[in-house]
Amino acid sequence: MFQNVLEKKDKKVILLGNEAIVRGALEAGVQFVSTYPGTPASEIGDTFYRLQDLYFEYSTNEKVALEAGIGASFSGLKTMVVMKDFGLNVCLDALFPFCYTGTKGPTVIVVADDPSCHSSAQSEQNTRGFAFLLHIPILEPSDSQECKDFVKFAFEISEKFKMPVLLRTTTRVNHQSGLVKLGKLASRSSLRRGDAGFVKDVNRFNTLPPRVLEMHKELLDKIEKIQEYSEKSKLNLVGGKAGRGLSSSKLGIITSGVSYLYVMEALKELKINLPILKLGFFYPLPERKIKNFIKPLKKVLIVEESEPFLEKEIKIFAKEVNCGLKVVGKELVPEIGELKPGIVAQAIAKFFGKKFNKLSVISNQLSVNRRPQLCQGCPYWLVFGAIKKAVKEKDVIFGGDIGCYMLAGVPPHNIQDYLFCMGSSIGIAHGIKKAVSGKQKLITFIGDSTFFHAGIPALINAVHNQSNPLIIIMDNKTTAMTGHQPHPGIKTDAAPIIKIEDVISACQVKNLKIIDPIKQNEFIQTIREFLKKDDVSVIIARRPCKFVK
Amino acid sequence: MVIVGTGGQGLITLLQILAEAAFSEGYDVKTSELHGLSQRGGSVEVHIRFGKKIYSPMVAQGSADLILGLEAQECLKAIYFANGKTIFLINKFLVPISGQKLLKQEEILKNLKKISKNIILIPAADICEKELGKNVVAGIYLICLACFKGLIPINPKSIFKAIEKIVPKKYLDLNIKTFYLAKHEK
Ligand SMILES: Cc1ncc(C[n+]2csc(CCOP(=O)(O)OP(=O)(O)O)c2C)c(N)n1
Ligand code: SF4
């Protein structure tokens, strides 16, 4: 709960994982925060947005959010950048060199994965994999208390080694609430940006070759040092004899993140007592600690969500210290979808060779398939309705994009022939139109926030390379899907509003109309007219989301 | 305990109230919720667990003590969490699912009874509509009722305090009236 975020030191309060991350940052004394919203990370930014003293911004997209953070770090500020998993893909281009240059002000990047894709189209991403490419330290908390504590550790590591540190969460960590014992808030005056200053350091902030290769070497050296630190860190914890009852010293479990909680619960339930290694560091792994843990074992079970990254690493370690060790992972723990306590209990029971009488669940024959729907009174009903009246659906290709309007792809609308990632509706539309030329018509939808995020370069490309999709901008005056955050086209504070129509005109789009979709006739006529054009056309469907006042 | 319903029924507020109340009685507590696409009028399922020491925020398959259904059809999905002893506390309330025939109340109960005999159906939405003019507080009504009846081992007083702490001022009066309505009904 929001009130609890600012409670006094030593109090125990209930916090959502995302709120605990904010609290941790406030205790560490974060001064500069940037984000682009995305579930399951959105409440982190939304909570910062309500706070005073420190600097916070909703950036236009994750890449500029990170770049803003890099600038703040280079100027000496304690910095946090927050995003959902796909945001990391968008900002990778800036993150690689940032790992090379390292930080000046300590910097923590929070990235939230969403296994099972509860709130994500696109893909089931496992951000941990980037560790091997980026060489960025990754910490994985499992509950709210750890969310708070790990953020502070992350800032400490960043400060000590001058490296950005990535805090990787998953939906069940971000959206879990639990008790948190609070630490001391940093003083309010220390949060202000007062004494920030950019001190020139050409050798450090320029990644020009041949210096860049030296930097690569420096990065690997840092990681070696951080690994030493990881070996001793209490974030990697051996222990956890959860259940009283059967025990074995020949079997063990290695786990991390939310899976750890399921493991502990399962051991309690099964009344089994096993040695457990809980890893708070995903990268760099505490190799010696892991080797010591597995050395006396016959069998080890790796409980991790998604790809078996830990399993693969541990198989390599086992070859060096314990050839006979059987490393069990994905044969018992599914790779697709998030883990659940029951699944983990089942896996552990099998691993231990104990019968687990899974409570027989009577399957339910009646289907209840309630899909998400556009709200009653959503302006998008009017847009989709007009399209259905304006064209024969089978004759037109429909491009989708990311936002509430991707529900174009479900009944009763069913007008979405492809859906990828933010901004790609226009990019792909251009390719299709180039391929099929005049034979097939194409209409794409893109939201206002998504247009600013990644739509503009694609629009410029379509105009410059001369194709002719009809682009409908779903201008509902908010970033609705992720919790109604502002964007550059909306009045906030004293900032000038950037009008979508001005951007589009500046991109030399000649066929442009702004229509309130309540004017159905005009909308229908314009669709028909614009579909005949040989160059790019844009309709801005302007009507606020029903939650916008 | 698992609470199921549909987007917009205020499940997350219920979760916060229960968590705060359980915590005030000295329990360790964890909850799990979902935001985003899952809230756009789709099915919503949230979990709360409290006790001496809680690790998992999620209820395991077949191990819910109580399943609170703010919408009757959604209870069928929650069967995954039920066992022979699970209590189903159900709001007699149906929200149509587009493209699907509305299930009959009896049909739903028949299916639930295959797994547990402990099924309590309460016309909470109707009661709240009739007495308070608003059926959105049906969830509050049901958690209060569950505490008064001893289905949730939390003192109603703690729930009352948690309501005061969590519900925004604007709606507090309505929620308090709901609390007393449940008290009289018990
Ligand atoms: C790279 C990336 N960042 C963030 C998200 C999360 N996200 C999903 S929908 C959405 C909002 C889109 O807003 P808008 O285009 O205005 O559409 P609306 O929801 O308002 O209809 C965001 C930010 C994402 N999917 N990918
Ligand atoms: S939140 Fe707004 S944009 Fe999204 S479906 Fe509802 S009314 Fe439409």
Side-chain angles (χ1 to χ4, degrees):
Chain A
M1 238 188 332
F2 177 73
Q3 304 97 287
N4 288 341
V5 174
L6 294 175
E7 275 288 354
K8 285 199 212 60
K9 161 180 176 237
D10 292 332
K11 255 194 116 165
K12 251 189 175 181
V13 296
I14 298 176
L15 289 180
L16 192 66
N18 280 341
E19 293 166 341
I21 288 172
V22 174
R23 173 73 188 205
L26 294 176
E27 289 181 11
V30 76
Q31 296 165 296
F32 186 104
V33 182
S34 56
T35 188
Y36 183 78
T39 318
S42 304
E43 298 80 18
I44 303 173
D46 299 348
T47 305
F48 277 119
Y49 187 52
R50 295 170 70 176
L51 298 172
Q52 266 111 46
D53 297 321
L54 52 85
Y55 176 81
F56 171 77
E57 72 173 41
Y58 289 113
S59 310
T60 315
N61 66 33
E62 292 86 352
K63 181 165 181 280
V64 291
L66 177 63
E67 287 159 349
I70 293 170
S73 168
F74 285 177
S75 309
L77 295 187
K78 242 181 207 184
T79 300
M80 182 177 252
V81 186
V82 182
M83 63 196 72
K84 78 173 287 168
D85 46 10
F86 307 145
L88 184 68
N89 310 344
V90 175
C91 73
L92 272 179
D93 212 16
L95 188 50
F96 274 93
F98 191 34
C99 291
Y100 276 44
T101 62
T103 57
K104 188 158 181 207
T107 304
V108 174
I109 302 169
V110 181
V111 181
D113 280 346
D114 185 21
S116 274
C117 297
H118 296 288
S119 323
S120 310
Q122 314 183 214
S123 69
E124 191 179 33
Q125 181 163 320
N126 185 353
T127 289
R128 302 192 299 172
F130 286 116
F132 306 111
L133 292 172
L134 287 162
H135 302 289
I136 188 170
I138 297 189
L139 305 184
E140 289 189 277
S142 25
D143 61 11
S144 296
Q145 180 73 55
E146 288 190 352
C147 280
K148 179 185 89 62
D149 296 340
F150 281 27
V151 165
K152 281 169 82 177
F153 284 126
F155 274 113
E156 278 171 35
I157 297 167
S158 180
E159 182 136 34
K160 200 170 161 68
F161 298 99
K162 304 272 172 254
M163 268 296 289
V165 174
L166 198 154
L167 187 86
R168 185 253 182 182
T169 57
T170 55
T171 302
R172 299 295 178 182
V173 174
N174 298 93
H175 289 159
Q176 173 188 154
S177 297
L179 298 180
V180 179
K181 178 142 191 271
L182 302 177
K184 190 165 174 279
L185 288 170
S187 75
R188 294 177 65 174
S189 57
S190 73
L191 302 184
R192 303 210 176 97
R193 284 161 281 152
D195 49 358
F198 182 90
V199 182
K200 293 189 186 214
D201 190 346
V202 183
N203 194 45
R204 192 154 158 211
F205 301 145
N206 273 297
T207 54
L208 270 180
R211 171 78 185 110
V212 69
L213 295 182
E214 285 169 29
M215 287 177 160
H216 193 176
K217 171 81 171 62
E218 288 163 14
L219 171 60
L220 297 185
D221 291 346
K222 274 188 198 172
I223 287 300
E224 215 167 278
K225 291 207 185 87
I226 299 174
Q227 192 199 320
E228 268 315 305
Y229 182 89
S230 162
E231 297 285 0
K232 293 184 203 101
S233 167
K234 58 182 176 189
L235 268 59
N236 304 312
L237 204 83
V238 181
K241 305 192 183 264
R244 259 167 234 178
L246 300 171
S247 71
S248 163
S249 56
K250 291 287 158 215
L251 307 181
I253 297 179
I254 301 179
T255 184
S256 66
V258 76
S259 311
Y260 165 73
L261 303 178
Y262 304 153
V263 167
M264 294 303 276
E265 207 65 57
L267 292 178
K268 227 166 78 179
E269 170 87 25
L270 293 161
K271 299 194 173 49
I272 300 178
N273 184 338
L274 288 182
I276 293 168
L277 173 57
K278 173 193 186 293
L279 295 170
F281 268 85
F282 173 75
Y283 184 88
L285 283 173
E287 190 175 327
R288 277 202 312 281
K289 199 175 248 179
I290 295 175
K291 283 179 174 166
N292 286 337
F293 181 81
I294 57 178
K295 216 185 240 163
L297 301 179
K298 276 214 167 91
K299 257 182 17 170
V300 65
L301 175 67
I302 316 298
V303 184
E304 63 184 319
E305 273 174 336
S306 308
E307 285 85 356
F309 293 135
L310 283 177
E311 185 181 337
K312 283 190 178 145
E313 294 288 307
I314 289 163
K315 275 185 176 151
I316 297 171
F317 298 157
K319 280 217 175 87
E320 292 170 31
V321 292
N322 182 353
C323 283
L325 180 75
K326 191 158 180 342
V327 181
V328 186
K330 290 296 151 188
E331 49 187 289
L332 292 181
V333 180
E335 184 163 345
I336 311 291
E338 65 179 358
L339 296 181
K340 293 185 171 138
I343 297 175
V344 172
Q346 195 88 26
I348 294 178
K350 256 203 191 138
F351 174 72
F352 194 82
K354 183 174 176 176
K355 253 185 104 170
F356 178 49
N357 288 336
K358 198 184 82 186
L359 299 143
S360 66
V361 169
I362 298 173
S363 71
N364 157 49
Q365 297 89 13
L366 301 171
S367 88
V368 182
N369 189 9
R370 194 186 301 273
R371 285 168 160 282
Q373 282 284 327
L374 293 176
C375 304
Q376 299 280 330
C378 173
Y380 299 161
W381 286 103
L382 298 167
V383 176
F384 297 156
I387 284 173
K388 292 195 173 227
K389 286 184 206 126
V391 300
K392 279 207 197 98
E393 286 158 49
K394 67 170 180 21
D395 296 342
V396 178
I397 304 163
F398 294 99
D401 217 309
I402 306 294
C404 288
Y405 51 91
M406 65 184 151
L407 294 173
V410 304
H413 317 291
N414 300 318
I415 43 174
Q416 186 164 279
D417 295 307
Y418 62 86
L419 175 68
F420 269 70
C421 54
M422 291 188 78
S424 64
S425 56
I426 301 177
I428 293 174
H430 168 71
I432 293 176
K433 282 305 289 176
K434 277 289 173 192
V436 304
S437 61
K439 278 185 299 191
Q440 285 170 294
K441 308 273 180 207
L442 189 150
I443 300 177
T444 69
F445 308 111
I446 183 165
D448 42 357
S449 189
T450 302
F451 179 71
F452 284 112
H453 178 286
I456 296 171
L459 174 66
I460 293 174
N461 185 54
V463 174
H464 176 65
N465 287 307
Q466 300 172 49
S467 64
N468 64 341
L470 165 54
I471 299 163
I472 300 184
I473 302 197
M474 313 292 262
D475 186 8
N476 64 347
K477 297 286 170 207
T478 185
T479 317
M481 177 100 253
T482 49
H484 303 95
Q485 294 81 2
H487 62 61
I490 296 167
K491 179 107 197 88
T492 46
D493 308 327
I497 298 175
I498 296 167
K499 289 192 187 145
I500 293 178
E501 53 272 35
D502 292 353
V503 175
I504 290 170
S505 300
C507 293
Q508 305 306 315
V509 173
K510 301 293 172 243
N511 318 307
L512 168 65
K513 257 192 182 171
I514 305 167
I515 310 176
D516 179 343
I518 198 102
K519 296 182 185 148
Q520 286 279 295
N521 278 338
E522 189 185 349
F523 211 102
I524 294 168
Q525 290 314 322
T526 310
I527 292 172
R528 288 187 183 141
E529 182 197 327
F530 278 5
L531 279 177
K532 291 186 198 124
K533 301 281 184 189
D534 291 328
D535 49 354
V536 174
S537 0
V538 176
I539 299 175
I540 301 178
R542 180 165 289 161
R543 192 173 179 80
C545 158
K546 75 175 214 181
F547 295 105
V548 172
K549 278 152 234 134
Chain B
M1 164 175 182
V2 176
I3 311 178
V4 291
T6 67
Q9 285 194 302
L11 274 78
I12 289 174
T13 310
L14 295 184
L15 207 58
Q16 287 177 341
I17 292 170
L18 286 166
E20 199 62 42
F23 172 49
S24 75
E25 298 203 352
Y27 292 114
D28 187 13
V29 55
K30 285 221 171 106
T31 73
S32 179
E33 54 194 65
L34 283 175
H35 299 237
L37 189 59
S38 45
Q39 275 192 307
R40 286 280 166 279
S43 302
V44 185
E45 169 202 299
V46 298
H47 299 214
I48 173 163
R49 303 184 63 235
F50 57 91
K52 216 168 127 220
K53 170 77 194 157
I54 300 296
Y55 292 102
S56 166
M58 289 180 75
V59 173
Q61 179 173 9
S63 57
D65 297 311
L66 176 67
I67 292 173
L68 174 60
L70 300 188
E71 202 272 358
Q73 299 173 90
E74 294 296 323
C75 290
L76 293 169
K77 280 186 149 169
I79 283 182
Y80 174 86
F81 298 102
N83 60 52
K85 290 193 198 120
T86 303
I87 300 166
F88 281 92
L89 179 63
I90 306 170
N91 184 11
K92 194 168 172 220
F93 184 63
L94 295 168
V95 180
I97 302 173
S98 79
Q100 198 175 308
K101 220 175 85 212
L102 200 63
L103 296 174
K104 289 205 192 69
Q105 206 74 248
E106 306 83 72
E107 248 179 313
I108 298 170
L109 294 187
K110 209 174 87 195
N111 258 269
L112 295 179
K113 273 187 187 138
K114 282 190 211 156
I115 182 141
S116 167
K117 301 281 167 282
N118 310 318
I119 294 171
I120 309 168
L121 186 68
I122 309 245
D126 292 344
I127 294 172
C128 293
E129 183 70 55
K130 190 166 142 246
E131 302 292 331
L132 305 166
K134 291 251 170 2
N135 69 24
V136 289
V137 285
I140 299 284
Y141 178 81
L142 286 170
I143 60 167
C144 294
L145 194 70
C147 290
F148 281 116
K149 281 175 177 279
L151 303 175
I152 301 175
I154 293 179
N155 192 322
K157 276 195 200 126
S158 307
I159 293 283
F160 187 87
K161 280 203 197 117
I163 291 176
E164 282 186 321
K165 178 164 178 193
I166 285 157
V167 175
K169 280 214 173 62
K170 230 172 31 178
Y171 306 109
L172 189 57
D173 192 42
L174 175 66
N175 279 264
I176 288 176
K177 282 188 186 143
T178 313
F179 176 88
Y180 286 114
L181 190 63
K183 186 172 180 184
H184 292 307
E185 198 66 29
K186 135 195 105 144

